[in-house]
Amino acid sequence: MAERVLITGARAVAALDIARSLRAAGYEPHLADCSPAWMARASRTAAHVHRYASPVARPAAFARDIRGLIARLDPVCIIPTCEEVFHLAALAEADDFSDRLFAPPPDRLSTLHAKDRFALLCRRLSLPVPDTTVVADRAALAAFPGGTADHVFKPVWSRFGARTLVAPAPSELAGVAPSTDAPWVAQRRIIGEEVSFYAVCHEGRIAAFCAYGSDWRLPGGASYVFRPLPADQTARLRPLADALAAFAGTGQIACDAIIDADAQPWLIECNPRATSGVHLFGRSAAFGRALMGCGEVEPVTGARHLSSALWLHGLPTALRDGRLADWRTQRRRGCDAVAAPGDGLPVLGALVDAAIFGLRALRTGLPLTEVMTTDIEWNGRPFEPD
């Protein structure tokens, strides 16, 4: 009987591609989420798609559901893909299943995720990071000594570029209300190419690494096309990932960076979870084995894209900006991360998921990227399930 692996955050395309790689490597992947996750349900990959309660809205029920899944499935590994990782890490520490959770312990997760603590970590590790100042109240914001045109302001706890202000005018900062519970940072602005990297690490050593950029993004910055970076840029980013992997220990780490005009990469922020870099390993069995600590793997060549987003957002953008030829080239030459040979229905499921989140955004008045994470996001508060 194949060993079972539980993959949480089934709403993410990365979760589905991880499941495909694990299936190819001979494991039995189970997916789970607190959202309907119709994309995952439409796929032939998962043995089953399970449901758990929101760790934000119902932490006690979330803990009960996770405990039940572990008891029923007895997975050899639990791989988080979204921000449920923070809630799972706290529960794993309390319930003593950290050895099965593919993630760093809670204190390291927090250090990597919090933008102020991540900047301090980078300085301690002698990694390039822009000057970063914590702003924890309106008085500190008003007394900020730097020029706003040379800085980027953003919440310490945020994702997908939410509420980020780049070189803001004083009038834009007037609406910012930082506090000790919800601090902001002011970070020196770096001009250059925005890039990302993703790594799988075991006991401080990297087993899978890729670096990528994107020319197609949602409002707020989330990408839906992923092109591998040239070898020279990848080589400059790899030592940074090695240093962070040594700190993280075991799990997944991903960083956003900016490469300036002198080809110097600057680390901006970190996501200690799965990201779209997963897609650059081509759903291979070797990637599945690397996740499970069995060997190393190199990324495949060629760009990947999310077909649903490429049609829903990319086509209108291409028509508006005169980039229709680029859009056609990507659609023709790129590889879809949502569908796979013999597994095309997830595209329809992704459209259903998009419609559900879109209606929720209209109903609440929140940005789409924010609506997609409000039930799982972690903003520094202790997880208290009981």
Side-chain angles (χ1 to χ4, degrees):
M1 181 177 176
E3 293 181 310
R4 294 171 179 153
V5 178
L6 176 61
I7 305 159
T8 61
R11 70 188 69 190
V13 186
L16 183 56
D17 256 4
I18 285 174
R20 287 164 170 160
S21 290
L22 289 168
R23 174 72 74 183
Y27 295 90
E28 180 182 299
H30 287 249
L31 288 153
D33 206 319
C34 55
S35 79
W38 287 108
M39 176 189 64
R41 293 180 186 279
S43 174
R44 301 172 58 186
T45 303
H48 193 75
V49 180
H50 307 269
R51 193 80 179 263
Y52 50 73
S54 163
V56 175
R58 302 169 60 208
F62 169 78
R64 180 198 65 218
D65 292 345
I66 293 298
R67 289 163 179 156
L69 282 173
I70 292 173
R72 292 198 311 275
L73 299 177
D74 191 24
V76 294
C77 186
I78 303 166
I79 303 179
T81 61
C82 301
E83 285 198 18
E84 79 282 348
V85 63
F86 301 100
H87 310 284
L88 279 169
L91 183 62
E93 190 171 69
D95 282 16
D96 197 26
F97 64 86
S98 297
D99 58 331
R100 294 204 228 185
L101 185 66
F102 191 56
D107 59 334
R108 296 186 194 181
L109 280 171
S110 178
T111 297
L112 291 166
H113 181 50
K115 294 176 179 61
D116 54 344
R117 293 176 63 182
F118 177 65
L120 289 173
L121 172 67
C122 289
R123 290 198 190 99
R124 192 166 77 242
L125 298 177
S126 299
L127 301 178
V129 61
D131 295 335
T132 303
T133 304
V134 180
V135 180
D137 53 44
R138 285 289 307 169
L141 185 62
F144 177 68
T148 59
D150 300 323
H151 286 78
V152 176
F153 294 80
K154 51 192 172 182
V156 164
W157 312 104
S158 61
R159 66 284 308 155
F160 300 126
R163 295 183 287 165
T164 296
L165 301 175
V166 179
S171 59
E172 293 179 275
L173 284 178
V176 174
S179 67
T180 53
D181 290 334
W184 282 53
V185 293
Q187 196 167 63
R188 181 170 62 85
R189 186 184 182 191
I190 305 295
I191 306 295
E193 181 184 1
E194 297 181 25
V195 300
S196 303
F197 65 73
Y198 165 80
V200 169
C201 47
H202 292 274
E203 298 181 347
R205 297 177 61 87
I206 288 179
F209 175 81
C210 66
Y212 57 98
S214 180
D215 303 313
W216 299 87
R217 299 175 183 270
L218 296 172
S223 304
Y224 50 91
V225 175
F226 321 101
R227 53 172 172 77
L229 292 183
D232 59 332
Q233 292 182 332
T234 299
R236 290 188 184 96
L237 291 167
R238 176 60 190 256
L240 312 186
D242 285 329
L244 292 171
F247 169 80
T250 295
Q252 303 170 92
I253 53 171
C255 287
D256 295 330
I258 296 179
I259 299 178
D260 67 19
D262 297 322
Q264 168 67 54
W266 296 85
L267 291 170
I268 304 301
E269 56 188 67
C270 180
N271 298 301
R273 55 174 174 77
T275 63
S276 300
V278 164
H279 308 311
L280 297 180
F281 293 94
R283 310 168 181 135
S284 67
F287 180 58
R289 290 191 291 269
L291 283 163
M292 300 301 292
C294 302
E296 300 181 2
V297 62
E298 295 292 328
V300 297
T301 59
R304 268 37 184 180
H305 60 251
L306 309 182
S307 56
S308 50
L310 191 66
W311 280 98
L312 292 175
H313 301 281
L315 183 57
T317 298
L319 292 171
R320 184 193 66 206
D321 298 343
R323 300 176 61 192
L324 192 57
D326 292 341
W327 181 85
R328 285 173 173 160
T329 298
Q330 177 59 44
R331 188 174 64 85
R332 185 174 65 254
R333 297 182 182 176
C335 180
D336 182 20
V338 181
D343 193 29
L345 287 180
V347 173
L348 297 178
L351 292 174
V352 174
D353 288 336
I356 291 171
F357 285 121
L359 289 172
R360 194 177 301 169
L362 288 173
R363 188 173 65 251
T364 61
L366 296 173
L368 178 61
T369 51
E370 197 167 331
V371 164
M372 292 171 66
T373 61
T374 51
D375 55 349
I376 56 172
E377 67 186 29
W378 186 74
N379 295 316
R381 300 186 67 177
F383 178 68
E384 299 175 345
D386 299 316

